[in-house]
């Protein structure tokens, strides 16, 4: 893990790739709208993702209003309820979380953290955002077509996804959803190639792979995974479009609908499930790995301590990425698979918990005896660790065949999924925004509004999803518009559902406060200076805050050390920046 820290520029290898020639905008439109600056593109990605995410937040309120107070709101019909569930799930997983972590944080942080002036292919980067925006607009358009959006559930399982009994199945709803997904994947592929090539070829002098911040490692590994996993979803979407529009039978078996024999025959619905979950389970880690990397940087910076076991953390990220491709069918235990396959996927599910647990241990050991500053980024980072561990433990239950079969399609699965894939990553997003907002704007977010936002969000999330585990354990199924007079649904369960709904509305209000804080602080926030957290990584060492076009002025920085040099004995401060050639640095500094 150690090498000799170079003391002179001559010790740093020469740059392998010449400095890029930047595109300089010539008008307001090419500077802020059709921009080729990765930082502007990152803000465009983030703004679009948050906007569509707020739509998903409102949809979740409508879902909870129906579950908490059934029959009260006439406009939440069974058809509308299924449409709300479908659009909420797909927006949150793909159009918010994936786009925000990779398109938003990836674009903003990768060039700054590796010491590059911009992405390697700026024009392709610009196209990736506009295709993503087109995908979002196509998705939103499905709300306004006859029949409304699809109500097939966010997994879009055929045959019901394209049959007339499902909302949007025989109208334009499902078509727009599938076209939107295909466009999203095309746009992401453009952006993803940029992230990978920039990390591999765009690093500044001295920035070896083992000196990169773990944020870059997380985003880089997630991008490689997405480039391998998204094609499965792409071909599944195209094949289902052919089934719907051309009458092919990739996924459609022989069917009788309302007494009428349909023209389909010979297709396999299970094939779609395999394609979907071959994308779907890596997607969990496509979202989680950037979160893991960001949390590592937040904890190290705000605990003023070197990250524990840096190389172990890197290999855990890579190992999780590789293993995530051989666990997908644990989502399909109830599809009738051979028990030996069930044993295989249950075993690999337990194995992937090992590198994930290593990361948790390393975070805790980084915090151990650190100089912990309970800043807002640190609060959200700790909230993430607690939430991810709790959600991960229920995932171990669901990864076991004999436990998963009775719990499948109950609210227990909803609770687990939201703890791991909803609350935990969003905690990281909030922590990251509080952490890097000063670099993006030159101002700090309001502390009191931030404290209110954190505590209401953190406590409220547990008020929502902890009781939901119990609701699922007693047998309440998911995706039911109304439970009726089922014998296991007691008055206490109805009261619990009402409590969960009220908690969800309160947590939603806290996000409104957060959004107000973002815009209010742009003008009224306290000036932050260039490095308010006294962080070591390169993005905090730029000559200007916010960073200007080209990031680092005339000369690119030269990296002399790893990303986490805190509390170095004899150093003038409690940290050494990566580009600080402090002459008295002891031999044995981290690589």
């Amino acid at each position: 893990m150690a090498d000799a820290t170079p003391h002179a520029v001559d010790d740093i290898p020469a740059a392998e790739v010449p400095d890029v020639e930047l595109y300089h905008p010539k008008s307001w439109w090419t500077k802020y709208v059709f921009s080729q600056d990765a930082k502007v593109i990152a803000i465009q990605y983030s703004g679009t993702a948050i906007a569509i995410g707020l739509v998903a937040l409102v949809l979740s309120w409508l879902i909870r209003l129906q579950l908490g107070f059934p029959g009260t709101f006439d406009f939440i019909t069974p058809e509308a309820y299924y449409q709300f569930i479908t659009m909420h799930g797909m927006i949150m997983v793909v159009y918010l979380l994936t786009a925000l972590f990779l398109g938003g944080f990836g674009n903003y942080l990768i060039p700054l953290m590796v010491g590059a002036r911009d992405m390697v292919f700026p024009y392709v980067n610009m196209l990736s955002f506009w295709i993503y925006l087109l995908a979002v607009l196509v998705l939103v358009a499905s709300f306004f077509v006859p029949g409304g959006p699809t109500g097939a559930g966010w997994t879009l399982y055929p045959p019901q996804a394209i049959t007339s009994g499902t909302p949007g199945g025989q109208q334009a709803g499902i078509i727009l959803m599938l076209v939107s997904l295909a466009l999203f994947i095309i746009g992401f592929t453009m952006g993803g190639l940029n992230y990978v090539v920039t990390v591999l070829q765009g690093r500044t002098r001295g920035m070896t792979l083992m000196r990169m911040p773990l944020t870059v490692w997380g985003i880089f590994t997630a991008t490689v995974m997405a480039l391998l996993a998204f094609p499965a979803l792409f071909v599944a979407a195209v094949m289902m479009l052919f089934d719907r529009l051309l009458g092919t039978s990739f996924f459609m078996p022989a069917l009788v609908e309302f007494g009428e024999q349909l023209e389909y025959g010979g297709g396999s619905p299970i094939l779609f499930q395999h394609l979907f979950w071959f994308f779907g389970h890596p997607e969990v880690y496509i979202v989680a790995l950037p979160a893991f990397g960001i949390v590592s940087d937040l904890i190290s910076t705000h605990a003023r301590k070197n990250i524990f076991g840096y190389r172990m953390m890197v290999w855990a990220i890579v190992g999780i990425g590789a293993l995530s491709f051989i666990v997908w069918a644990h989502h399909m235990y109830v599809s009738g698979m051979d028990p030996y396959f069930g044993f295989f996927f249950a075993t690999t599910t337990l194995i992937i918990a090992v590198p994930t647990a290593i990361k948790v241990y390393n975070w805790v050991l980084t915090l151990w005896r650190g100089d912990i500053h309970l800043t807002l980024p640190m609060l959200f980072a700790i909230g993430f660790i607690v939430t991810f561990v709790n959600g991960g433990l229920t995932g171990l239950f669901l990864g076991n065949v004999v436990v998963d079969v009775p719990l499948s399609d109950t609210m227990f699965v909803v609770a687990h999924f939201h703890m791991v894939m909803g609350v935990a990553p969003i905690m990281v997003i909030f922590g990251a925004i509080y952490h890097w907002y000063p670099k993006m704007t030159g101002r700090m977010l309001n502390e009191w509004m931030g404290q209110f936002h954190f505590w209401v969000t953190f406590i409220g999330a547990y008020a929502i999803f902890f009781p939901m585990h119990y609701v699922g354990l007693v047998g309440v199924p998911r995706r039911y518009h109304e439970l009726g007079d089922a014998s296991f649904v007691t008055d206490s369960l109805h009261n619990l559902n009402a409590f969960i709904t009220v908690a969800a509305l309160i947590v939603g209000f806290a996000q409104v406060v957060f959004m107000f804080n973002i815009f209010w602080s742009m003008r009224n926030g306290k000036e932050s200076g260039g490095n308010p957290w006294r962080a070591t990584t390169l993005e905090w060492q730029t000559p200007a805050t916010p960073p200007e076009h080209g990031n680092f002025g005339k000369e690119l920085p030269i990296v002399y050390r790893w990303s986490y040099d805190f509390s170095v004995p004899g150093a003038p401060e409690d940290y050494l920046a990566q580009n600080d050639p402090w002459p008295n640095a002891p031999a044995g500094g981290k690589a």
Side-chain angles (χ1 to χ4, degrees):
M1 182 185 285
D3 71 350
T5 302
H7 293 187
V9 175
D10 294 341
D11 297 331
I12 306 291
E16 296 180 9
V17 180
D19 204 359
V20 298
E21 181 65 32
L22 289 177
Y23 170 82
H24 295 286
K26 298 175 177 59
S27 68
W28 183 89
W29 287 96
T30 53
K31 186 173 183 180
Y32 293 110
V33 181
F34 299 103
S35 176
Q36 295 185 32
D37 187 332
K39 297 182 296 298
V40 177
I41 294 170
I43 294 168
Q44 291 174 321
Y45 257 112
S46 301
T48 306
I50 291 172
I52 194 66
L54 291 174
V55 173
L57 176 66
V58 173
L59 293 175
S60 73
W61 287 345
L62 297 174
I63 295 165
R64 284 309 319 174
L65 285 172
Q66 173 58 28
L67 291 173
F69 308 99
T72 306
F73 304 93
D74 293 337
F75 68 93
I76 308 179
T77 61
E79 293 78 13
Y81 178 79
Y82 293 122
Q83 290 168 325
F84 297 160
I85 283 180
T86 303
M87 300 304 283
H88 166 77
M90 191 61 82
I91 289 171
M92 292 297 286
V93 171
V94 176
Y95 297 86
L96 172 66
L97 291 173
T98 305
L100 197 52
F101 273 120
L102 301 183
F105 292 121
N107 265 306
Y108 201 89
L109 295 176
I110 286 175
L112 284 166
M113 282 187 152
V114 303
R117 295 211 179 275
D118 207 319
M119 289 293 180
V120 171
F121 308 115
Y123 184 77
V124 176
N125 204 25
M126 177 193 74
L127 287 181
S128 76
F129 164 71
W130 286 101
I131 295 175
Y132 165 65
L133 178 62
L134 178 61
V136 170
L137 294 175
V138 170
L139 187 79
V140 171
S142 67
F143 284 99
F144 303 100
V145 297
T150 177
W154 82 276
T155 51
L156 305 179
Y157 281 175
Q160 91 280 4
I162 56 176
T163 51
S164 60
T166 301
Q170 283 293 299
Q171 288 115 340
I174 186 66
I175 296 173
L176 291 174
M177 168 65 81
L178 296 171
V179 169
S180 176
L181 284 173
L183 287 170
F184 178 92
I185 295 165
I186 293 169
F188 165 77
T189 302
M190 292 179 169
L193 290 172
N194 251 313
Y195 312 151
V196 170
V197 176
T198 302
V199 168
L200 294 179
Q201 293 292 316
R203 303 189 309 277
T204 191
R205 290 178 65 193
M207 179 63 80
T208 63
L209 288 174
M210 285 299 167
R211 285 177 174 168
M212 292 196 309
L214 288 168
T215 293
V216 178
W217 269 110
I219 295 172
F220 171 73
T221 308
T223 302
V224 173
M225 290 170 57
L227 290 171
L228 297 174
F230 270 122
L233 181 64
F234 182 83
V235 298
V238 172
M239 290 159 73
M240 195 191 294
L241 272 173
F242 286 169
D243 281 4
R244 169 67 178 80
L245 296 174
L246 304 180
T248 59
S249 295
F250 290 111
F251 306 129
M252 300 297 285
L255 286 173
V256 175
E257 186 179 44
F258 299 117
E260 181 180 343
Q261 178 75 42
L262 300 184
E263 295 181 359
Y264 298 113
S268 172
I270 300 295
L271 173 60
F272 179 88
Q273 292 189 31
H274 280 291
L275 288 170
F276 182 89
W277 287 116
F278 187 80
F279 143 79
H281 197 82
E283 168 67 11
V284 172
Y285 291 102
I286 289 166
V287 170
L289 291 183
F292 291 170
I294 289 169
V295 160
S296 302
D297 281 3
L298 297 189
I299 286 174
S300 181
T301 300
H302 296 273
R304 316 306 300 161
K305 192 176 171 199
N306 302 346
I307 199 75
F308 182 87
Y310 172 84
R311 284 180 184 262
M312 192 188 305
M313 296 283 262
V314 170
W315 287 113
I317 287 174
V318 174
I320 290 168
L323 288 169
S324 69
F325 282 95
I326 55 172
V327 298
W328 79 88
H330 70 209
H331 296 271
M332 299 169 56
Y333 288 150
V334 293
S335 66
M337 70 171 63
D338 186 290
Y340 288 104
F341 280 114
F343 173 77
F344 170 80
F345 286 109
T347 304
T348 54
T349 301
L350 295 174
I351 291 172
I352 202 173
V354 174
T356 309
I358 287 172
K359 299 196 71 62
V360 176
Y361 296 146
N362 286 20
W363 292 327
V364 173
L365 289 168
T366 301
L367 290 170
W368 177 252
R369 303 185 72 180
D371 179 17
I372 297 173
H373 295 224
L374 289 177
T375 58
L376 288 166
M378 179 61 100
L379 287 174
F380 277 104
I382 294 172
F384 161 81
I385 294 173
V386 173
T387 305
F388 187 78
V389 169
N390 286 329
L393 289 174
T394 56
L396 292 176
F397 289 102
L398 293 173
N400 189 308
V401 182
V402 295
V403 180
D404 179 74
V405 169
L407 289 177
S408 184
D409 279 328
T410 68
M411 294 300 284
F412 188 93
V413 176
V414 176
H416 157 73
F417 183 76
H418 279 80
M419 291 290 278
V420 172
M421 191 68 176
V423 179
I426 287 175
M427 286 278 180
V428 179
I429 287 171
F430 289 142
I433 290 172
Y434 282 103
H435 182 74
W436 279 295
Y437 185 88
K439 176 52 61 176
M440 297 170 66
T441 64
R443 295 184 180 272
M444 304 293 286
L445 284 159
N446 181 273
E447 179 74 18
W448 289 106
M449 281 192 272
Q451 290 280 346
F452 172 83
H453 174 229
F454 169 74
W455 288 108
V456 173
T457 301
F458 181 69
I459 296 172
Y462 279 80
I464 296 167
F465 296 112
F466 251 34
M468 204 178 286
H469 288 87
Y470 168 74
V471 172
L473 282 171
V474 298
V476 174
R478 59 178 178 162
R479 297 184 182 177
Y480 273 47
H481 172 256
E482 197 164 350
L483 297 175
D485 297 323
S487 58
F488 60 86
V489 182
T490 61
D491 289 340
S492 63
L493 267 181
H494 284 301
N495 294 334
L496 199 55
N497 257 333
F499 170 81
I500 293 171
T501 297
V502 172
L505 294 171
I506 294 171
V507 170
F509 171 73
Q511 312 322 308
V512 176
V513 174
F514 170 68
M515 294 302 300
F516 174 78
N517 192 2
I518 284 181
F519 291 106
W520 183 87
S521 296
M522 284 182 188
R523 184 178 295 271
N524 303 298
K526 182 176 69 175
E527 290 190 8
S528 64
N531 189 3
W533 309 122
R534 297 180 300 144
T536 60
T537 45
L538 291 182
E539 79 273 20
W540 298 102
Q541 321 308 325
T542 56
T545 298
E548 296 175 344
H549 187 46
N551 294 340
F552 293 102
K554 291 183 179 180
E555 297 291 333
L556 288 174
I558 297 175
V559 172
Y560 296 91
R561 62 192 74 254
W562 72 325
S563 305
Y564 304 102
D565 256 344
F566 291 100
S567 304
V568 177
E573 295 191 62
D574 75 336
Y575 74 100
L576 287 171
Q578 285 190 277
N579 61 333
D580 185 350
W582 182 49
N584 300 318
K590 303 296 187 292

